[in-house]
Amino acid sequence: MSPPDTDVALALDAIVARCRAAGPLTTEHDPAWPSPCEIGAPDANGLVHWQPVLRDDYDLLGPLEETLGVAIHPSVVSFYGRWFSDGFRTVAREGEVNLIGVWNEDDTLRLQQNLLGHALQQQRRRQPLTFFFALTEEASEAVLSVDNARGAVVLEVPGTDRREDVSATLASFLRELSPR
């Protein structure tokens, strides 16, 4: 298991605080998909208020590391292990960024499976290993990922060779985000 990256944890804490300060956080309520983040009962529109819950679970990607036989970059470990949350809608210089959250324990398994599928596709294409952490504009297929060898944030379109560097580190990228 990779040790956590405290710079990423602090930068993530800061954007979480900025998003919380920007207004109430709501999401569609799914009674079959409960989360420790939910606050109270859903409203008449089926929306429930939520708040991030600190988790500090830096072992959650350990099974993925074992399966792939590689250490996952500490910034990715910190990003996914720090909070239970829904996604955060933010804005970067490049446009809309939807940070991926882990909603509950079952979501951890789904995340591991999605990251594994992404990694196996990259291995088949002989591409550098990356781990996604955010989605971009709704109409785009591009994702934001961390290059596992360098720790740099890259914008990539899965299944293609399209990839460009966006930031030297995940912490520096997170520090520049604003709530949307």
Side-chain angles (χ1 to χ4, degrees):
M1 180 194 75
S2 300
D5 181 325
T6 55
D7 287 341
V8 168
L10 293 172
L12 188 57
D13 292 353
I15 188 60
V16 165
R18 290 192 302 273
C19 287
R20 289 181 73 187
L25 301 170
T26 60
T27 191
E28 289 183 33
H29 176 66
D30 182 350
W33 197 246
S35 171
C37 302
E38 295 174 311
I39 303 170
D43 65 17
N45 297 319
L47 298 177
V48 66
H49 288 282
W50 67 274
Q51 67 182 4
V53 174
L54 191 63
R55 81 184 280 188
D56 282 335
D57 178 5
Y58 301 115
D59 292 329
L60 84 155
L61 297 180
L64 184 59
E65 287 182 320
E66 288 176 29
T67 300
L68 293 172
V70 299
I72 296 174
H73 196 275
S75 63
V76 177
V77 172
S78 291
F79 180 84
Y80 283 119
R82 185 73 174 158
W83 294 95
F84 276 118
S85 72
D86 196 9
F88 287 101
R89 296 168 50 108
T90 66
V91 177
R93 287 186 315 253
E94 296 80 12
E96 295 177 11
V97 174
N98 294 314
L99 298 175
I100 297 170
V102 178
W103 188 240
N104 56 33
E105 288 296 339
D106 291 335
D107 203 17
T108 300
L109 180 58
R110 185 169 70 173
L111 171 70
Q112 290 169 349
Q113 292 168 342
N114 288 336
L115 290 172
L116 177 61
H118 182 75
L120 293 175
Q121 181 182 63
Q122 290 176 318
Q123 285 178 343
R124 280 193 299 274
R125 295 179 63 84
R126 301 193 193 295
Q127 294 174 322
L129 184 60
T130 63
F131 292 99
F132 57 82
F133 67 91
L135 307 173
T136 59
E137 300 171 15
E138 287 185 33
S140 174
E141 294 179 8
V143 298
L144 288 158
S145 302
V146 172
D147 181 300
N148 201 54
R150 300 180 297 129
V153 173
V154 296
L155 179 70
E156 64 181 343
V157 176
T160 73
D161 291 330
R162 183 174 160 226
R163 180 177 296 189
E164 74 180 75
D165 283 5
V166 173
S167 182
T169 67
L170 180 54
S172 61
F173 180 81
L174 292 172
R175 281 194 218 56
E176 295 192 14
L177 295 177
S178 301
R180 183 174 61 188

